[in-house]
Amino acid sequence: MIGEDRIGLNNRFIKVFQLLEERGAIIKNDRKGRGIGDVAEKILGNRGYGHIVRAFLNENDKRVISYSQARKFCREFGINEDYLLDGTGTPFGFDLPRSSNEQGNFTRGNILFTTVEAFAGSTLGPDSFDTEDTSWFSLPGLQGNGLVAFQINGNSMEPLINDNDLVVCREVDRLETMDDNDIYAVKNNGSLWVKHVQRIFHGNRITHLKLISANHLEHDPFVEEVNMHTRLYKVIRKISDF
């Protein structure tokens, strides 16, 4: 008999699978690398086991995903293991919450402040946002959802952004909508940088991002490959001497 913990695990798998479909990371009938057969190959080791994945997605089927398969799913699709395995946190680790005002809380603020320092000249370890305490605040003129603030530690963006400055960023929904050469926080492969960013295209597809420091005499530009886990947050305000 399947235990309640496995049923809960499978229910969370179904939810995350649906979220990945909404994001376009999985397209069930796709034959170009994002189909259900591709999911089966990644977590079950065989493209022909797509019917088993479909069974996992059927709440009325007795077959449910195992913990080892769920861990593979997390690694392949950038899912927060704490959420999928234990039900804690959020599916993608650091998904920005909706505005507190929309939730009926008018005192908390709509900007999420994290104590994680965004190293402008170096990187953060994976899942850093998930383990730090957070708080909320608001600023005049900054409304809406998807706002996050953190403190800079490094000199790579001087003189535009200095060591210990606080930056407020707004989440970017799609890379196609970003503006080349503006300043963004780039979260990719477990690391976070604050840089000028330029898109690099292969045909009509964005394949890489070029990250450029304002302090170019000490910090060389570099290129990061774009994948389904890449996230951008546009820097919209800087606060010094706070």
Side-chain angles (χ1 to χ4, degrees):
M1 183 176 178
I2 302 297
E4 290 295 325
D5 61 325
R6 289 281 301 283
I7 294 174
L9 170 67
N10 200 74
N11 288 339
R12 291 189 294 275
F13 169 73
I14 293 172
K15 177 180 178 180
V16 170
F17 193 98
Q18 292 170 344
L19 290 173
L20 289 170
E21 284 187 294
E22 291 174 4
R23 293 182 173 208
I26 295 176
I27 303 173
K28 284 182 180 177
N29 297 320
D30 182 72
R31 296 186 178 182
K32 298 181 180 179
R34 291 182 290 177
I36 202 161
D38 300 290
V39 176
E41 184 174 22
K42 290 175 179 177
I43 66 175
L44 302 175
N46 191 321
R47 289 181 56 84
Y49 289 166
H51 65 286
I52 298 179
V53 177
R54 291 184 185 275
F56 295 161
L57 297 172
N58 183 355
E59 294 180 351
N60 297 319
D61 198 291
K62 294 182 179 180
R63 287 170 288 185
V64 296
I65 194 169
S66 70
Y67 280 95
S68 61
Q69 293 161 352
R71 289 189 180 92
K72 291 180 182 178
F73 185 71
C74 289
R75 289 194 294 269
E76 292 290 341
F77 291 96
I79 306 303
N80 178 12
E81 280 197 20
D82 288 339
Y83 173 80
L84 189 56
L85 302 183
D86 302 318
T88 59
T90 60
F92 298 100
F94 187 61
D95 276 356
L96 295 177
R98 296 178 64 82
S99 168
S100 57
N101 289 353
E102 292 189 6
Q103 299 169 354
N105 184 345
F106 292 91
T107 61
R108 190 176 68 171
N110 67 320
I111 302 172
L112 179 65
F113 174 75
T114 174
T115 58
V116 174
E117 295 177 342
F119 288 87
S122 56
T123 63
L124 291 173
D127 301 325
S128 294
F129 278 126
D130 306 331
T131 59
E132 298 290 344
D133 293 332
T134 58
S135 58
W136 294 85
F137 69 101
S138 59
L139 290 172
L142 292 184
Q143 307 297 326
N145 303 313
L147 295 172
V148 60
F150 45 81
Q151 191 174 4
I152 295 295
N153 185 353
N155 69 348
S156 73
M157 289 304 291
E158 292 181 354
L160 301 179
I161 301 175
N162 297 314
D163 186 33
N164 291 324
D165 281 351
L166 185 77
V167 292
V168 180
C169 307
R170 188 182 298 278
E171 188 174 17
V172 176
D173 291 333
R174 299 168 58 243
L175 296 182
E176 289 78 6
T177 63
M178 65 165 285
D179 298 310
D180 286 336
N181 298 311
D182 281 358
I183 300 175
Y184 293 86
V186 181
K187 187 172 183 285
N188 197 41
N189 296 326
S191 298
L192 181 69
W193 303 272
V194 175
K195 304 288 183 185
H196 290 289
V197 179
Q198 296 176 354
R199 294 168 295 180
I200 298 176
F201 289 84
H202 181 75
N204 294 324
R205 189 166 62 92
I206 301 170
T207 59
H208 295 78
L209 297 174
K210 185 175 183 180
L211 278 59
I212 305 168
S213 299
N215 183 4
H216 55 83
L217 295 179
E218 295 185 47
H219 300 272
D220 293 329
F222 59 96
V223 172
E224 279 289 305
E225 185 176 3
V226 170
N227 57 55
M228 69 178 68
H229 315 309
T230 305
R231 299 287 182 269
L232 262 67
Y233 309 87
K234 186 170 185 177
V235 176
I236 58 175
R237 186 166 297 188
K238 176 190 73 171
I239 304 172
S240 302
D241 301 323
F242 61 95

